[in-house]
Amino acid sequence: MAKQAQSDGTVKKSGLRPQTEKDVDAALKSAIENVCKFKETREQMDQIFEEESALYTEHLKGAQTAVTSLNELYDQHIKDNSVYTGTYHNEPEKKTDAKVALNFAKGCAEIKNVLAGNALKYASLSMKRMTLNASRYHPNAPVMKNREQEIVLAQLPKEWGIFQRLSFLIPLILGIICLAMYMNLRNQPDVPMNMPIALFRFFYGWGHFAFFVLCFVALITLIAGHFGKENKKKLLQSYIERSPAYAETEKADAELEKYYNEKAAKAKELSDTYFDIVNHQILESLINKVYLAPFPSEFANVSDLQAALDLLNSSRAENLKEVYEILERRHAEAARSNAEAQHRAKMESIGMETLRSQQKAEEYAKKQAEYAQKQAEYAREQAASAREQAESMNRLADESAKQTEYARQQAESAAATQTDVDYMRRNS
């Protein structure tokens, strides 16, 4: 997005004033820096890399110290233990060896948990700085489109605000004055004493025509201002796309990306070394395959090893075989309890879903009943209205019958009167 050059090597002109270009470059650079936050992101990366390096040194030193202590303890007290030499066959007289072996294995399991937790913290911190780099904004981020529009709109009023209003209002006001003078002078054949004859002739003969001309000029000015503003907007948008501010910020973005990649490569080397030492050399090759190897993997955890030690110390078990049998029953009971708890939770969930369905059905039935009641009330109202209309029609029919009977009587009376008149005419 840097400034484009023409084929002859010259910089393409934007059509804007130099000061406008400087203002746009400064606003765009500030907007990009506010969005991308190069300085703040660099500081956050530095902090995370420092924490990651310190955590690597601390955890690796702690792991090596723990392994050294385990090795010394193993060489001094454990390597000749019958459980570890394979000579233990659940003999009651070797109960002490079993207790010592369990106590040592429990310590190994605790160290294993600590090392696994440290590895998780270390991996979490690495993921944090990866997320920071992946989620940071770049100069070409979509959010910059909104900032570009804000910069364009901020520049437009400076170019077309007061000038556009005056260029439109002045001709319009003059046109209104011309029309007002024309309307005032058109019925006055004599020139007012305080007015020059030239002005009188102008307003008297051309005032109305000047009004239309000036209104047309105001309209043309307004249209020209509108299209000029749109043209200015296009020029600004075109210039922003090739502004040198993008070239500068893209350079800063590339430097930050390069910095992160270099530091991340070094951090990855340390991470690979850390996990190779902790996961493979200590946890897998030493603790799992040597120090916890005499015990079944399903019981080689801190809680089961502590439970086994308690069973031997309380004489509820006299050898490891009895310990494993008790632990197996406990595991089975725990699995059964978990299954029952899951089943209860599932049934409760089904019950709650059924209850919600019943409630929904009841609400629906209630709404249907309310709707049916409203329909019944409406039907009753319609029936009452129909009865009222029928009664009204009956009343109209009765009235019509009365009117008909009255008309018939009037006709008969008129016929009798006409007969009497005819008789009197004949006799006369």
Side-chain angles (χ1 to χ4, degrees):
M1 288 192 178
K3 251 183 184 176
Q4 298 174 350
Q6 295 181 351
S7 58
D8 59 355
T10 60
V11 178
K12 183 179 178 181
K13 294 183 179 180
S14 65
L16 301 172
R17 295 181 301 170
Q19 185 60 43
T20 303
E21 292 183 358
K22 292 180 181 179
D23 293 341
V24 171
D25 291 338
L28 186 59
K29 185 176 180 181
S30 176
I32 295 173
E33 290 177 350
N34 288 334
V35 169
C36 299
K37 301 184 185 306
F38 297 120
K39 184 178 179 180
E40 293 83 350
T41 304
R42 173 68 177 267
E43 292 175 354
Q44 292 176 5
M45 287 181 178
D46 287 338
Q47 181 180 358
I48 294 176
F49 280 123
E50 290 177 2
E51 292 177 2
E52 193 173 355
S53 178
L55 205 62
Y56 166 82
T57 303
E58 177 186 351
H59 287 177
L60 189 60
K61 183 178 179 181
Q64 292 172 341
T65 302
V67 169
T68 301
S69 300
L70 286 178
N71 289 336
E72 292 177 355
L73 184 61
Y74 179 81
D75 291 338
Q76 295 175 6
H77 303 285
I78 303 300
K79 70 176 182 179
D80 295 329
N81 188 287
S82 60
V83 175
Y84 281 87
T85 58
T87 58
Y88 177 84
H89 301 293
N90 298 306
E91 298 91 343
E93 60 274 11
K94 294 182 179 180
K95 183 177 180 180
T96 302
D97 279 2
K99 288 196 269 186
V100 172
L102 286 171
N103 196 34
F104 176 74
K106 187 185 71 136
C108 293
E110 290 174 346
I111 292 176
K112 178 181 176 181
N113 290 344
V114 172
L115 294 179
N118 289 344
L120 184 61
K121 293 179 182 178
Y122 187 68
S124 176
L125 195 58
S126 300
M127 185 61 66
K128 182 179 178 181
R129 48 103 170 159
M130 293 178 189
T131 303
L132 174 63
N133 184 63
S135 61
R136 71 181 183 89
Y137 285 114
H138 299 276
N140 58 351
V143 69
M144 279 303 304
K145 293 298 180 183
N146 296 332
R147 301 299 177 90
E148 291 175 2
Q149 293 301 318
E150 293 175 0
I151 294 173
V152 170
L153 295 176
Q155 291 295 324
L156 290 179
K158 296 179 182 179
E159 192 73 19
W160 298 102
I162 297 175
F163 173 76
Q164 183 184 9
R165 292 185 180 92
L166 292 179
S167 62
F168 167 70
L169 290 175
I170 290 176
L172 184 62
I173 293 172
L174 291 177
I176 293 173
I177 292 174
C178 290
L179 182 62
M181 295 296 294
Y182 169 76
M183 297 295 293
N184 187 39
L185 299 175
R186 64 177 180 171
N187 295 323
Q188 298 183 19
D190 298 330
V191 181
M193 296 183 62
N194 58 347
M195 177 179 291
I197 188 170
L199 287 178
F200 173 78
R201 289 177 178 177
F202 174 78
F203 289 124
Y204 184 82
W206 299 95
H208 61 294
F209 182 73
F211 167 74
F212 290 110
V213 171
L214 290 171
C215 288
F216 180 75
V217 171
L219 180 61
I220 293 299
T221 303
L222 183 64
I223 294 174
H226 171 73
F227 284 101
K229 183 177 180 180
E230 290 298 320
N231 182 57
K232 178 71 173 182
K233 184 177 181 181
K234 292 179 180 179
L235 292 176
L236 287 168
Q237 292 174 340
S238 177
Y239 178 76
I240 283 176
E241 292 178 357
R242 51 192 174 83
S243 170
Y246 271 114
E248 296 177 10
T249 53
E250 285 175 355
K251 182 179 179 181
D253 182 72
E255 291 176 354
L256 182 60
E257 187 70 20
K258 180 180 178 182
Y259 165 79
Y260 173 80
N261 291 334
E262 292 176 353
K263 299 287 286 187
K266 295 179 181 179
K268 186 177 183 303
E269 293 179 2
L270 296 178
S271 176
D272 292 341
T273 302
Y274 176 83
F275 284 106
D276 179 68
I277 293 174
V278 173
N279 288 348
H280 297 95
Q281 298 180 23
I282 298 178
L283 292 179
E284 186 63 28
S285 300
L286 185 61
I287 294 180
N288 288 341
K289 291 185 177 181
V290 178
Y291 294 157
L292 296 178
F295 305 95
S297 58
E298 63 269 25
F299 303 132
N301 56 77
V302 176
S303 59
D304 283 337
L305 292 172
Q306 181 61 52
L309 193 58
D310 293 339
L311 290 172
L312 290 179
N313 287 331
S314 63
S315 297
R316 283 180 289 175
E318 295 299 327
N319 52 59
L320 292 179
K321 180 181 178 181
E322 295 177 0
V323 167
Y324 296 152
E325 291 175 352
I326 295 173
L327 292 179
E328 285 178 355
R329 288 196 298 270
R330 290 183 179 179
H331 282 196
E333 291 174 358
R336 185 167 56 253
S337 299
N338 290 335
E340 291 176 354
Q342 292 178 2
H343 179 70
R344 285 194 302 270
K346 183 178 179 180
M347 294 305 296
E348 290 177 359
S349 177
I350 294 174
M352 291 298 295
E353 187 64 28
T354 303
L355 179 60
R356 284 193 291 268
S357 299
Q358 291 176 351
Q359 290 175 347
K360 290 180 181 179
E362 291 174 357
E363 291 176 359
Y364 179 75
K366 183 178 179 181
K367 290 180 180 179
Q368 290 295 100
E370 292 176 354
Y371 177 75
Q373 184 179 359
K374 290 181 180 179
Q375 290 294 100
E377 292 177 356
Y378 178 75
R380 287 194 295 270
E381 292 175 356
Q382 291 294 101
S385 177
R387 286 195 299 271
E388 291 178 359
Q389 291 180 359
E391 293 175 357
S392 177
M393 293 297 292
N394 291 333
R395 288 193 297 270
L396 289 175
D398 293 341
E399 186 66 25
S400 177
K402 291 179 181 179
Q403 293 291 336
T404 302
E405 179 63 23
Y406 177 75
R408 186 183 61 78
Q409 292 175 1
Q410 290 293 103
E412 290 177 352
S413 176
T417 303
Q418 186 63 37
T419 302
D420 293 340
V421 171
D422 292 340
Y423 177 77
M424 292 176 66
R425 284 177 179 177
R426 287 195 302 268
N427 291 333
S428 63

